[in-house]
Amino acid sequence: EADIGIGPISISSERRRSVDMTLPCYDFVGLQLAGWRRPIRVPTLALRPELWACLGAALLTTALLVTLFDRFSPCSFRNRPPPPSNEVSESGGKVFSIGESLWYSLGALTQAGDSFDPRAPSARLIVAGFWLLCCIMHALYTANLAALLTASQLTASSVTTLRRLAAQTDIKYTVQRNTIGHDFFERMADIESKFFNIWRSSIEDNGNGAPLTHGAAVWEYPIEERFTRMLGRMKEWGLANSTQEAVSLARTGSWAVFMDTPLARYYASRDCRLRTVGEALSSRPYGIVLQKGSLLTKKFDMAILQMQQDRTLETLKMQWWNSVGEVNCPADARSIGLKLSSISGIFVLPILGVCLGFLALLAELTMRRIQRCQQTAAEVARLQP
């Protein structure tokens, strides 16, 4: 038989009946849930600088080309043929100077619209390509916003409380067999069972035909049997036989385990794949175990009080928790935003619009030249005797 037992041994009334326990030599600890640290890539709404530069270049290029096409296209409002003398001059149009073109392109980028559009088909093709670029950029930004909100909801809705853990079955959970944590769930389940028996006896007939007790006839059990359900699932899924087995289950990613807070913190601080989840349950202190009626109990108590007074215990705790073996785990990865390399294909649309616009401008100039030649030939034929 051993005289002294030192380790992560919590002080409880059941243990005090069999052995002597010293004064608390460690902070109050509880039952902590430890699980796998799932890496989360959080998107962001930021646009890379090169993407902003390309958007600005597309806007300026569109404004410049609309101004040039409005100036040289024979179909533009600027170059419309003068109306006959007996007709009123048409006023439903706009001359696109560089300033008006910039304002028009900015309105297209923000989907604000404008009162007048270019009349020349060549200029409209350029504008159509820029419109498609703006629509796709708005859709990508909206999709990235939805992904950001979804990621934040997934993070917020993850298992962070005992209630959420008990309400789901995707993540299995367990506790080490024959530990204070196992005993905690057994005691809580037993208390829930006793409450249920009290409630059932309060609404049942007393056997003499007497009516139910007034105010106690609640036909639906009003207390959630959370610990009973959790203990039943843990027994069905299997209890861990050792701390190493519990930690191995937590590292698989599909399990969460209940263990003492210092143990959970210890393994989480030395393995980036693990993390502690939620608040601690059933807080209790650690102590040193001695034989029942041992003469050393008072001496150990005096030594612990002295170490607490001169802060020796605090110094040792800071030394072992903050310096020895602790690793710096990387934070959750954040997306660097929309990159030009990932969406460069959408800039084909304004380029295609420019190419089609130049072809349309060439066709417009050719048609106007043909019309002028035909008009000249008609005038010559009319003047000839």
Side-chain angles (χ1 to χ4, degrees):
E1 295 182 358
D3 295 323
I4 303 172
I6 300 177
I9 305 173
S10 57
I11 301 175
S12 64
S13 58
E14 293 84 357
R15 289 174 175 172
R16 284 187 180 275
R17 296 192 188 102
S18 304
V19 294
D20 282 351
M21 305 282 303
T22 64
L23 294 175
C25 61
Y26 194 78
D27 296 339
F28 277 78
V29 299
L31 200 61
Q32 186 81 46
L33 186 65
W36 181 51
R37 185 190 298 271
R38 186 182 301 274
I40 300 176
R41 188 171 183 85
V42 182
T44 180
L45 295 179
L47 300 182
R48 298 300 301 276
E50 60 269 20
L51 186 56
W52 280 113
C54 289
L55 283 175
L59 188 147
L60 294 176
T61 302
T62 300
L64 179 61
L65 290 178
V66 168
T67 303
L68 293 177
F69 280 36
D70 185 74
R71 179 181 298 274
F72 294 106
S73 174
C75 301
S76 64
F77 182 78
R78 182 201 301 265
N79 298 326
R80 68 190 185 283
S85 57
N86 58 349
E87 294 184 6
V88 180
S89 176
E90 183 181 7
S91 59
K94 177 188 289 186
V95 175
F96 282 86
S97 62
I98 186 64
E100 291 292 342
S101 298
L102 282 172
W103 182 252
Y104 181 84
S105 300
L106 185 61
L109 179 62
T110 57
Q111 295 185 348
D114 197 87
S115 56
F116 296 104
D117 296 322
R119 286 197 173 186
S122 55
R124 290 189 175 187
L125 286 172
I126 295 176
V127 171
F130 185 68
W131 279 352
L132 291 175
L133 173 66
C134 295
C135 289
I136 295 177
M137 285 302 303
H138 279 279
L140 289 174
Y141 193 85
T142 303
N144 218 36
L145 175 61
L148 175 63
L149 295 177
T150 303
S152 61
Q153 289 177 359
L154 287 176
T155 305
S157 63
S158 59
V159 177
T160 56
T161 62
L162 189 68
R163 182 183 298 273
R164 289 180 178 177
L165 182 67
Q168 58 84 46
T169 56
D170 295 333
I171 300 177
K172 297 181 180 181
Y173 45 88
T174 188
V175 68
Q176 186 177 341
R177 192 187 308 273
N178 298 327
T179 58
I180 197 68
H182 184 196
D183 182 64
F184 168 76
F185 280 99
E186 292 281 359
R187 287 188 290 106
M188 294 301 295
D190 182 64
I191 292 173
E192 290 177 345
S193 177
K194 291 179 179 179
F195 272 112
F196 177 77
N197 292 330
I198 295 173
W199 168 81
R200 185 176 60 180
S201 63
S202 67
I203 67 171
E204 287 181 345
D205 195 300
N206 58 13
N208 299 323
L212 301 178
T213 305
H214 178 70
V218 181
W219 298 107
E220 184 178 355
Y221 186 50
I223 300 177
E224 181 184 3
E225 296 180 302
R226 184 186 309 160
F227 291 97
T228 302
R229 183 170 64 251
M230 294 182 66
L231 181 61
R233 288 175 180 173
M234 286 191 289
K235 288 182 177 179
E236 177 185 354
W237 293 332
L239 301 176
N241 296 314
S242 63
T243 303
Q244 293 301 325
E245 181 181 352
V247 174
S248 299
L249 288 175
R251 286 170 177 163
T252 60
S254 57
W255 283 80
V257 294
F258 288 97
M259 58 177 60
D260 287 348
T261 305
L263 291 177
R265 285 185 53 200
Y266 174 81
Y267 287 107
S269 64
R270 283 150 179 80
D271 190 344
C272 291
R273 295 173 295 178
L274 299 177
R275 62 167 181 155
T276 57
V277 181
E279 299 293 334
L281 306 173
S282 181
S283 297
R284 59 199 182 278
Y286 278 165
I288 300 175
V289 180
L290 297 100
Q291 290 185 358
K292 191 67 175 178
S294 175
L295 299 177
L296 299 176
T297 304
K298 291 185 178 181
K299 295 183 178 181
F300 271 89
D301 289 342
M302 294 300 296
I304 291 174
L305 289 175
Q306 180 63 34
M307 295 176 71
Q308 290 177 347
Q309 184 177 359
D310 58 19
R311 301 184 61 84
T312 302
L313 291 178
E314 187 70 20
T315 303
L316 291 174
K317 185 173 65 174
M318 295 293 295
Q319 174 185 350
W320 287 99
W321 276 112
N322 299 337
S323 60
V324 179
E326 187 176 11
V327 295
N328 294 323
C329 298
D332 292 335
R334 297 191 64 89
S335 173
I336 57 178
L338 294 176
K339 297 185 295 184
L340 179 61
S341 59
S342 59
I343 59 173
S344 58
I346 65 174
F347 288 94
V348 175
L349 297 174
I351 295 175
L352 180 61
V354 171
C355 295
L356 293 178
F358 274 104
L359 293 177
L361 178 62
L362 181 60
E364 291 170 1
L365 294 175
T366 303
M367 291 296 297
R368 177 53 60 91
R369 183 178 293 275
I370 292 175
Q371 290 177 359
R372 286 180 177 178
C373 291
Q374 291 177 349
Q375 291 176 358
T376 302
E379 289 291 335
V380 171
R382 186 174 60 82
L383 293 177
Q384 286 181 354

